[in-house]
Amino acid sequence: MRFRALTAVSGLTALALLGVMPVAQAAEPSAPAANEVTTVGKLSPEEFQKMRAARADVNTQGVTDGATIQGRVVCYQAHVRNANVWTSLICTDQSSFTGSVGQGDPIDAVYFAVGTTGGMDFNVQLHWANDGRGAEVHVGPGGWVQMSNGNGNVLEAIHLRSTNESMKAGAHVKNFGWKTTDQWSYDQWIGSIDENRWMEAFWIHI
């Protein structure tokens, strides 16, 4: 509820009795919980070639298609902290995952790229150890986003949301293994929250 500025002492007293401060004295909105470093952009010809190459031997019809990216597709990769490497680019129609399994090595940065065809509406939000949730980021067709944590914290969970495409997804988490419902959904979290388990790998299918 907002109030106009009051000049009368009786008006300020009334606000104080109600437990409400005038707008001029209201606190600024709190900053996002996660100290994220987020970079977004449009796919360059070179990046599009990498995306196409990652998907060259398989498509949604199971037919070789090295010439183009057909339909809605999201490609992604993870940075594995202790190995200090970016994994190979993986796309949503491949039976594989990004990250590492059996190494106890957390993910500390991720990259997502959305294909130019099909009009995929893709939104991603991350949950970081010690820092909590960052802001949801929209990545439109032909766009990409790279996300890391400015405090050096590792990834615990990923929120995937779309208004026009359902997804299946799963995550491999510390001292547990794979966590997935294996169900199609337009809005879901994968990984773990408030369990002190970092994410080591994940996969997405659409």
Side-chain angles (χ1 to χ4, degrees), residues 92-181:
T92 47
D93 57 0
Q94 294 173 312
S95 298
S96 189
F97 62 84
T98 188
S100 65
V101 172
Q103 307 298 318
D105 205 346
I107 293 171
D108 63 1
V110 290
Y111 168 91
F112 297 92
V114 178
T116 56
T117 62
M120 175 72 175
D121 174 47
F122 181 75
N123 303 274
V124 61
Q125 182 181 18
L126 306 182
H127 189 282
W128 300 96
N130 302 316
D131 268 345
R133 299 181 187 183
E136 184 179 75
V137 179
H138 172 73
V139 188
W144 60 267
V145 62
Q146 182 173 311
M147 307 168 78
S148 60
N149 186 275
N151 287 334
N153 291 314
V154 295
L155 185 63
E156 291 186 331
I158 301 175
H159 180 207
L160 304 167
R161 188 178 66 83
S162 175
T163 60
N164 62 5
E165 187 65 73
S166 60
M167 293 174 275
K168 278 185 182 180
H172 193 279
V173 301
K174 173 188 176 184
N175 296 333
F176 184 90
W178 287 105
K179 297 183 72 169
T180 174
T181 60

Side-chain angles (χ1 to χ4, degrees), residues 25-150:
Q25 298 181 31
E28 291 295 322
S30 58
N35 184 23
E36 284 184 335
V37 178
T38 300
T39 306
V40 298
K42 287 291 186 180
L43 289 170
S44 67
E46 293 77 16
E47 289 167 324
F48 186 78
Q49 287 289 350
K50 289 180 181 178
M51 193 173 179
R52 188 171 68 178
R55 199 168 178 262
D57 59 349
V58 69
N59 65 14
T60 53
Q61 290 77 40
V63 178
T64 298
D65 182 9
T68 188
I69 297 177
Q70 299 291 342
R72 293 170 181 165
V73 60
V74 177
C75 295
Y76 51 95
Q77 59 187 146
H79 186 267
V80 182
R81 165 171 284 185
N82 297 335
N84 193 27
V85 296
W86 281 96
T87 59
S88 299
L89 196 66
I90 300 295
C91 297
T92 47
D93 57 0
Q94 294 173 312
S95 298
S96 189
F97 62 84
T98 188
S100 65
V101 172
Q103 307 298 318
D105 205 346
I107 293 171
D108 63 1
V110 290
Y111 168 91
F112 297 92
V114 178
T116 56
T117 62
M120 175 72 175
D121 174 47
F122 181 75
N123 303 274
V124 61
Q125 182 181 18
L126 306 182
H127 189 282
W128 300 96
N130 302 316
D131 268 345
R133 299 181 187 183
E136 184 179 75
V137 179
H138 172 73
V139 188
W144 60 267
V145 62
Q146 182 173 311
M147 307 168 78
S148 60
N149 186 275

Side-chain angles (χ1 to χ4, degrees), residues 6-31:
L6 300 177
T7 55
V9 173
S10 59
L12 291 173
T13 302
L15 290 177
L17 291 173
L18 290 171
V20 179
M21 294 302 294
V23 172
Q25 298 181 31
E28 291 295 322
S30 58

